[in-house]
Amino acid sequence: MNPETSRRLLFDMLRIRSVEETIAARYGEQKMRCPTHLSVGQEAVAAAAGAALRPTDLAVSGHRAHAHYLAKGGRLKAMIAEIYGKVTGCARGKGGSMHLVDESVGFMGSTAIVGGTVPVGVGLSYPMKLNNTGQISCVFLGDAVPETGVFFESVNFAVVKQLPVLFLCENNGYSVYSPLSVRQPPGRKLYELVAGFGLETHHGDGNDARAVYAALSEGVAAIRGGEGPRFYEFETYRWREHCGPMYDNDLGYRSVAEYEAWKLRDPVLALQRALITEAIVTDADVADMQAEIDAEIEEAFAFAESSPFPPPEDAFTDVYASAAG
């Protein structure tokens, strides 16, 4: 990997981490009045995908979408304003944290319904194939999504039509509070299960940003070259609670020992240390990156605070059906 890409990965991961930690720190101010699902600890997959995809590629995601949106080129001001419910948000304040959409950067939507955007992502890829546009469609998903019926229908269709889809699974081990061990038979691997549909699958360490980038780069090139869809599963871990800015280890669904073990594998710190050791960046470089990120975050929150709420009449725009009567 060239040094420029390594530095980009570190910058993007630091940015995502800092944005989400700031959201967590300020959530108690009661100005962000929507549920928010943070992905602190999972930054590597999103950053690597952002580096592997082209701006013209399209992406969809689920409820934990901040990192995916930012990595795809999303505007931080628009995202924070959206979480504040302001009209300057990327969904004009109607969607909140879980429903980010921004066609200007190819981020075509996220939803709180598990698996809800999978068929959307596959649908986006169909005209890409028919019109030979050279684009691919990236579907970010969690480890609970392969347990939904719509996922199987969508993967099957993508395989039959050899569509340019990257199914990108961040396996953080839990569906809300339920571990894989109570949701799947012993020994079953998601990437092996999905391989049964006849597409190539991959499994790897989701906390090693450079390894994720290398794997995705090869996969994206193959998909773009006409080899059809692929499924990538990367194991990672969310540090904070399923929904909200706090920690929930006291609930007992995961052990403190497990949490601490994953924290020792901090993907941001691991890459930072590696790049300093390899003389790709210096401590001063990292400090400069952090200062730039901090300034951008401060500006984004100020923008959100000062932006207006949507006018009442906006409640009746962007709807798909008229009121009965």
Side-chain angles (χ1 to χ4, degrees):
M1 178 183 295
N2 64 59
E4 182 180 350
T5 302
S6 294
R7 285 192 291 269
R8 172 180 173 173
L9 288 177
L10 179 60
F11 181 88
D12 287 351
M13 291 169 69
L14 283 169
R15 181 172 181 250
I16 292 167
R17 172 71 61 85
S18 300
V19 167
E20 294 217 294
E21 289 291 9
T22 305
I23 291 172
R26 299 188 61 164
Y27 196 76
E29 296 173 357
Q30 297 295 310
K31 295 178 180 177
M32 293 175 270
R33 302 309 302 271
C34 60
T36 184
H37 300 70
L38 305 177
S39 59
V40 176
Q42 301 186 192
E43 296 86 352
V45 175
L53 295 171
R54 293 175 180 170
T56 51
D57 293 328
L58 304 180
V60 294
S61 181
H63 54 276
R64 205 178 305 281
H66 299 165
H68 306 150
Y69 173 67
L70 292 175
K72 187 61 181 66
R75 300 165 293 154
L76 180 58
K77 283 183 176 179
M79 188 183 89
I80 301 300
E82 185 59 41
I83 298 173
Y84 270 71
K86 299 299 184 71
V87 73
T88 52
C90 59
R92 292 185 59 79
K94 295 182 177 181
S97 168
M98 294 186 289
H99 303 97
L100 305 177
V101 58
D102 191 341
E103 293 184 28
S104 70
V105 297
F107 197 80
M108 307 306 285
S110 56
T111 176
I113 306 300
V114 174
T117 50
V118 176
V120 176
V122 172
L124 290 170
S125 74
Y126 205 1
M128 295 175 181
K129 172 70 180 291
L130 294 176
N131 298 320
N132 194 27
T133 67
Q135 298 166 282
I136 74 168
S137 177
C138 175
V139 179
F140 290 102
L141 56 110
D143 52 274
V145 171
E147 297 163 3
T148 64
V150 73
F151 174 78
F152 286 89
E153 289 188 41
S154 300
V155 171
N156 183 58
F157 187 80
V159 171
V160 168
K161 298 294 184 181
Q162 286 293 281
L163 300 179
V165 186
L166 170 64
F167 296 101
L168 183 47
C169 177
E170 290 171 299
N171 180 353
N172 66 19
Y174 291 92
S175 174
V176 189
Y177 306 125
S178 300
L180 273 168
S181 60
V182 303
R183 294 156 33 213
Q184 296 288 340
R188 174 179 285 175
K189 304 296 184 183
L190 295 181
Y191 68 98
E192 292 177 349
L193 178 70
V194 178
F197 281 92
L199 73 167
E200 189 162 334
T201 66
H202 175 92
H203 172 261
D205 179 0
N207 279 20
D208 185 339
R210 289 191 288 186
V212 175
Y213 174 77
L216 290 181
S217 295
E218 187 272 336
V220 165
I223 296 169
R224 211 182 297 283
E227 296 185 17
R230 289 194 177 193
F231 176 87
Y232 284 77
E233 176 193 358
F234 295 105
E235 294 194 24
T236 184
Y237 201 77
R238 63 169 163 81
W239 293 3
R240 292 183 178 269
E241 61 187 329
H242 163 67
C243 178
M246 309 301 286
Y247 294 91
D248 61 359
N249 297 330
D250 59 305
L251 297 180
Y253 73 96
R254 61 184 184 180
S255 68
V256 172
E258 176 186 285
Y259 166 78
E260 293 292 348
W262 274 98
K263 278 204 75 175
L264 291 174
R265 297 176 55 193
D266 182 342
V268 181
L269 195 55
L271 181 61
Q272 179 178 317
R273 286 171 173 164
L275 298 191
I276 290 174
T277 300
E278 297 167 19
I280 294 175
V281 299
T282 64
D283 288 325
D285 293 332
V286 176
D288 288 345
M289 288 181 186
Q290 192 63 60
E292 179 182 343
I293 291 166
D294 290 345
E296 183 192 13
I297 292 173
E298 183 176 355
E299 186 177 357
F301 274 86
F303 173 77
E305 293 257 13
S306 62
S307 293
F309 287 104
E313 57 268 27
D314 265 17
F316 303 100
T317 61
D318 305 319
V319 296
Y320 292 96
S322 301

